[in-house]
């Protein structure tokens, strides 16, 4: 069971391991969107967005619901929004530490 959980975590984080996929998840954290809406927000080609959504969908990170000719995407689990917020806090903590280290080096 423990190995299954580790494998799930590894696969999950692999699905997140692309800046465009992270940005798509940040957008979907604000609410469900179609590919065209995501593309407009990102200012990128639809094929790039569709490709990254396919990866996220295959790893069960997002879900797509058909609505006429469009597919509306949303986060499969709302905790993903919290995960992204925690990752941002960790980044901020690292940045603060780096700035502090540089200031200490400058003052020596």
């Amino acid at each position: 069971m423990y190995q299954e959980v580790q494998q799930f975590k590894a696969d999950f984080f692999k699905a997140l391991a692309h800046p465009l996929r992270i940005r798509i998840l940040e957008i979907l954290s604000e609410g469900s969107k179609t590919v065209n809406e995501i593309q407009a927000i990102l200012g990128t080609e639809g094929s790039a967005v569709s490709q990254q959504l396919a990866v996220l969908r295959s790893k069960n990170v997002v879900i797509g619901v058909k609505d006429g000719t469009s597919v509306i995407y949303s986060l499969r689990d709302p905790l993903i929004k919290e995960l992204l917020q925690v990752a941002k806090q960790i980044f901020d903590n690292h940045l603060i530490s780096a700035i502090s280290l540089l200031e200490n080096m400058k003052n020596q």
Side-chain angles (χ1 to χ4, degrees):
M1 178 69 161
Y2 187 69
Q3 284 182 321
E4 291 170 354
V5 172
Q6 287 178 324
Q7 187 61 51
F8 170 82
K9 289 178 183 179
D11 290 342
F12 179 78
F13 283 113
K14 283 180 195 174
L16 302 182
H18 191 283
L20 184 55
R21 289 195 290 264
I22 294 293
R23 184 63 185 119
I24 289 169
L25 293 175
E26 290 171 344
I27 291 167
L28 292 177
S29 292
E30 298 167 6
S32 301
K33 305 268 186 290
T34 64
V35 174
N36 288 339
E37 291 171 324
I38 296 168
Q39 178 185 348
I41 293 167
L42 292 172
T44 61
E45 293 181 28
S47 61
V49 171
S50 294
Q51 182 181 33
Q52 299 308 326
L53 281 167
V55 171
L56 292 169
R57 201 173 50 245
S58 73
K59 298 297 184 183
N60 293 314
V61 179
V62 300
I63 56 173
V65 177
K66 190 102 166 130
D67 183 30
T69 60
S70 298
V71 178
I72 300 173
Y73 287 93
S74 59
L75 299 177
R76 179 172 284 280
D77 189 323
L79 287 174
I80 293 170
K81 181 176 182 175
E82 291 179 39
L83 177 68
L84 295 171
Q85 291 170 340
V86 169
K88 172 72 167 73
Q89 290 172 334
I90 292 169
F91 171 81
D92 291 347
N93 291 343
H94 283 277
L95 188 58
I96 290 167
S97 295
I99 289 170
S100 177
L101 178 64
L102 288 172
E103 286 175 350
N104 287 339
M105 291 172 64
K106 182 179 168 183
N107 293 330
Q108 290 180 357

